[in-house]
Amino acid sequence: MATTGLISPAEINYIREGFAVGIRADGRALRQYREYLLGLDVISHSSGSARCRIGFGTDVLVGVKVEVSNIEPGEVPNRGKVVCNVECSPSTTQNWDSRAADELNNELTQFLHRCLNDYDGIDLEKLCIIPNQSCWILYVDALVLDFGGNLYDTLLMAVRAALFNTRIPKVHIEETGDDGEKEFDVIDDPEEAEPVPGWADVPLAVTLNWANQTYFVDASEMEEHCTDAKLTVTVNKNGHICAIQKSGLGAIPQKVYPEMLTVRIRQEWGVPLALWP
Amino acid sequence: MDRRRVNGPELSVAPLVATVDAEGAVNFVQETPKQAFTPDTKRQDGRSAGDIRPIYLRAGLVNQASGSAYFEQKNTRVTCGVYGPRQNKKAQFNELARLECEIKFTPSSCEKRRALHRDPEEKELANFIAQALSPAVKLDRYPKSTISVYISVIQCDGWWSAVAAAITCASVALIDAGIDMIDSVVAASTLVANPSTVLMDASQSEEDAHPHIDAGVLLVAELPTFKSITHVVQMGKLDINQTTKATEACLEVCAKIHGVVNHYLRESVIQQAEI
Amino acid sequence: MSSSAPSPFVLSAAAFEKIAPEEYYKRFTSQKIRPDARRFPAFRQTSVQINSISTAYGSSVVRQGNNMVICGIKGEVAEPKFATPKQGYVVPNLELSPICSADFAPGAPSELAQTISHRLDQLVRTGHLLDLEQLCIVEGAAVWTLYVDITCLAFDGNILDAALLALTTALQNTKLPRATFHEETSLITVEPTSPSTQSADSATVALTVARPLFAASFACLPDGVILADPNATEEKVAETLVSIVLDTSGQLAHVWSHGKTAVANSPTIQACIEQARQRVSELQNIIQLAAPKA
């Protein structure tokens, strides 16, 4: 995040010097998360939803809607679809003008799209109802209500929780003709609904912030202004790295980089592991 | 509908590619079968797994721009123009220059026609490229100004190789523009086909043959002299050993590309001095 | 630099050109020469390169002096208009990317790009450039839409000539894949083409351009000076700009004339047409050189 009028050079210097000796403004250790609140089923008309608030700062609301969609000719015949959208309301923080908010929305939307769609996570093939005809489509909509740093981690936490909370109705498939044509009925009974296939493989993100020759997790808003570069690593429950993305305008030394990758989500950091099987 | 452009019919679709056999049955052409790689296997175009396609590099092709470059690796062709430093249009004072990046894939650059306006993918890539280049540019030397980097992908043979090419090309264009930099930025991309074959600089057909479900892509941009990573993107599930191996392979190739860039820059300076 | 007496004020040529471009040009034109050493009726060196983009159905790269444009043609399938069930569409668009000149901003097309795109569209529609019925796949149901996208990578004035040359040559070298209509599913499919088999085989159909069109543009300066193929600076100092579009037999297809003062008078237009005729035969030689060897 670019330097803004919100923080003075002296403050930046003060916070950065703190990193070097392992002291942070709010008394946390370098690798300690803030407390968080996670609520499930917060939107009554969605198929699944969750709200995650970290350190009484960043607040993300995620709703998932499940619908039936057609598979058009030329598309992959046996796969469901996931459509993501992330929106930061401009009122969230005074730093974002509408253009910056647009750019951030796009960055987060693309990131989430990659996390859920093409790569690992949700089992898209199980979302197919009848090959070449119909499939489930998952609309994952995230709304950033408030910003206090560490957006990536909070976002993925809320998305994972919302997918855990989502139920997909069961379908009854029957063959209508001799030539293998099929039709299906959606069973309305909410008791019969199933969880999202592969939700447990959806990764969580850990963002490592590189500043003053050291790195730390879960940056607050002020700390993000003092950071040279950020490295977001998403990890699934098997410890596989699902995605890496660097952001910020600085560089990360080659020597430290492999070490940063080996940093895993650990219980003692207070990482929200409630949904970690 | 965009009134400022010539519009075609309301709806048009890319033709479906299919083969029709003698009985008239239609077979849609499926994803090409995967090739199993051993370290000795030659790739479709005769390269081995660690080879990149030969690079052709030229600077200073656009005479109106402050600096420009053209970068070609077989069918991946990228051109870049740099304008600036120019005065910041906004009145707000900024100690650092703003590095503004735009990337556009020309409509006929890919298999499927791309729209004329910038799509979300291109906006995100522009962001990546700005982040990859910024650490190299001495932004504090140009307060109150904007440096614009415009990139056009003329042809794309491998999405991530085109992005890597764009970063390297943009860095050469910045050098051509005489912008103060601490180092050139070079980038390399790789496709990790399971179990652990690292295909450097993958072409489009290789990307198509390895859907992301079971393969990973890695892009690394670095400052070779400072041994610093300026950007890294990975997609697809890999374990830590695969990631580390792929990163090392990318850095190795980055060093080679850096050699090519340096050689070119040195030669062009000598040539200019002779004139 | 000596610090003693203030040196007399000397204006460098580049500064003179910036401050008083009209006066600067007058100094040259009075000597019957242009700042880039061209004579008045001389066009800049032009070259064409054919089908270098393998992802397109047809493509060309045109260099004209410091201009460089790339034209790529992509085909898509669409429904024809009710009134013309056999005619396909040709959709030309010129993109003046921000790379090519400081005058163009990223985002929406500039006024110049809109004007040129519109002119190209007009030529395709009314200039009988090609028979749109050859784009028919199934009458009344499916036709080809050819998206002709011209991207400018380096800009130095007179972009219409370069853009039209790119459009004509790319269309002349376009090969459409053979399309099949399947009645039960009402789907249209095409045979796969690999870049290696793209030239001359049964899976593709070559497009015929019945009436190739070429443009020649001129800048009219005060005192009746006519500059052929004006560059960016010359376009700015010109009073009137004239563009002539001709076919290979020298027949007029279009004349555009616009300027800040009066419309060019008829002897001027006549003179321009004469020069344009010569230019067209010159261009045909250039295209012949670029044509793929059979």
Side-chain angles (χ1 to χ4, degrees), chain B residues 113-171:
Chain B
R113 178 178 183 261
R114 297 188 72 87
L116 284 164
H117 56 83
R118 289 199 308 144
D119 61 15
E121 263 178 330
E122 288 166 341
K123 285 184 190 162
E124 196 202 16
L125 283 186
N127 213 348
F128 281 2
I129 293 167
Q131 288 171 355
L133 296 173
S134 294
V137 181
K138 288 194 68 62
L139 296 172
D140 53 337
R141 292 290 277 273
Y142 309 100
K144 297 189 275 185
S145 44
T146 302
I147 301 166
S148 311
V149 177
Y150 301 120
I151 301 162
S152 181
V153 179
I154 299 165
Q155 200 179 341
C156 162
D157 191 354
W159 179 264
W160 290 103
S161 79
V163 178
I167 293 173
T168 314
C169 180
S171 137

Side-chain angles (χ1 to χ4, degrees), chain A:
Chain A
M1 216 135 286
T3 40
T4 58
L6 273 189
I7 187 163
S8 69
E11 273 178 296
I12 292 180
N13 200 28
Y14 180 75
I15 296 176
R16 285 175 64 95
E17 288 302 316
F19 294 143
V21 287
I23 296 172
R24 291 167 78 173
D26 49 9
R28 281 186 289 156
L30 287 182
R31 302 196 194 151
Q32 190 183 359
Y33 270 70
R34 288 168 286 183
E35 305 234 315
Y36 67 97
L37 283 174
L38 192 61
L40 295 180
D41 230 351
V42 286
I43 308 173
S44 55
H45 289 290
S46 66
S47 314
S49 60
R51 181 172 175 181
C52 186
R53 192 165 165 80
I54 195 158
F56 302 100
T58 307
D59 194 350
V60 181
L61 178 69
V62 176
V64 181
K65 189 90 188 155
V66 177
E67 276 174 27
V68 173
S69 161
N70 293 331
I71 299 176
E72 304 291 335
E75 287 181 337
V76 186
N78 60 343
R79 229 181 264 174
K81 300 170 204 169
V82 181
V83 176
C84 306
N85 186 44
V86 184
E87 209 157 315
C88 304
S89 53
S91 61
T92 309
T93 151
Q94 45 182 314
N95 294 350
W96 294 339
D97 55 43
S98 63
R99 195 193 143 102
D102 270 354
E103 263 176 31
L104 188 68
N105 288 345
N106 183 53
E107 190 183 318
L108 291 167
T109 304
Q110 292 289 328
F111 177 72
L112 194 59
H113 175 88
R114 281 201 307 263
C115 284
L116 298 180
N117 229 319
D118 294 353
Y119 306 91
D120 42 63
I122 300 172
D123 193 341
L124 293 177
E125 282 178 16
K126 288 205 179 121
L127 289 180
C128 174
I129 303 171
I130 300 167
N132 277 321
Q133 263 182 49
S134 309
C135 67
W136 290 112
I137 182 162
L138 261 56
Y139 291 99
V140 181
D141 290 302
L143 188 63
V144 179
L145 298 169
D146 197 0
F147 178 73
N150 203 14
L151 198 44
Y152 276 86
D153 297 10
T154 322
L155 174 68
L156 270 192
M157 219 181 290
V159 166
R160 191 177 146 93
L163 288 170
F164 163 75
N165 183 236
T166 303
R167 289 291 174 274
I168 302 176
K170 267 199 174 157
V171 289
H172 179 70
I173 301 172
E174 56 186 307
E175 291 199 14
T176 52
D178 305 324
D179 47 353
E181 262 185 49
K182 290 175 183 169
E183 265 185 15
F184 69 93
D185 289 316
V186 176
I187 302 169
D188 271 339
D189 184 5
E191 296 288 312
E192 288 277 309
E194 291 174 327
V196 178
W199 76 267
D201 292 321
V202 172
L204 283 182
V206 180
T207 300
L208 300 161
N209 302 275
W210 175 254
N212 203 9
Q213 307 305 313
T214 185
Y215 54 89
F216 61 96
V217 295
D218 192 22
S220 69
E221 193 181 5
M222 288 290 242
E223 285 170 338
E224 283 203 352
H225 290 309
C226 313
T227 302
D228 298 328
K230 294 192 284 181
L231 192 71
T232 303
V233 184
T234 74
V235 188
N236 71 4
K237 64 172 201 276
N238 301 325
H240 284 133
I241 296 172
C242 300
I244 301 175
Q245 189 168 319
K246 182 237 155 197
S247 47
L249 298 183
I252 298 167
Q254 256 177 48
K255 262 191 283 175
V256 203
Y257 177 72
E259 186 191 321
M260 283 169 89
L261 287 187
T262 58
V263 171
R264 299 282 172 76
I265 300 176
R266 286 189 199 136
Q267 197 90 46
E268 63 264 28
W269 299 353
V271 182
L273 290 179
L275 297 163
W276 210 241

Side-chain angles (χ1 to χ4, degrees), chain C residues 97-197:
Chain C
S97 69
I99 292 183
C100 64
S101 160
D103 296 343
F104 308 127
S110 63
E111 238 166 78
L112 179 64
Q114 289 179 48
T115 314
I116 306 287
S117 297
H118 180 71
R119 285 184 182 179
L120 294 174
D121 186 42
Q122 247 181 318
L123 289 175
V124 171
R125 275 170 203 272
T126 62
H128 307 287
L129 189 73
L130 76 167
D131 179 12
L132 292 175
E133 289 191 3
Q134 62 186 310
L135 300 175
C136 179
I137 301 171
V138 181
E139 190 178 331
V143 290
W144 283 107
T145 302
L146 296 183
Y147 289 99
V148 183
D149 293 301
I150 306 165
T151 310
C152 177
L153 293 179
F155 177 84
D156 193 12
N158 190 16
I159 202 67
L160 176 72
D161 289 17
L164 183 60
L165 181 59
L167 174 128
T168 307
T169 49
L171 279 173
Q172 279 176 326
N173 291 283
T174 296
K175 290 193 177 74
L176 292 175
R178 215 174 271 283
T180 333
F181 179 70
H182 306 282
E183 261 176 46
E184 322 100 68
T185 49
S186 60
L187 282 178
I188 308 264
T189 60
V190 297
E191 302 269 320
T193 48
S194 61
S196 53
T197 59

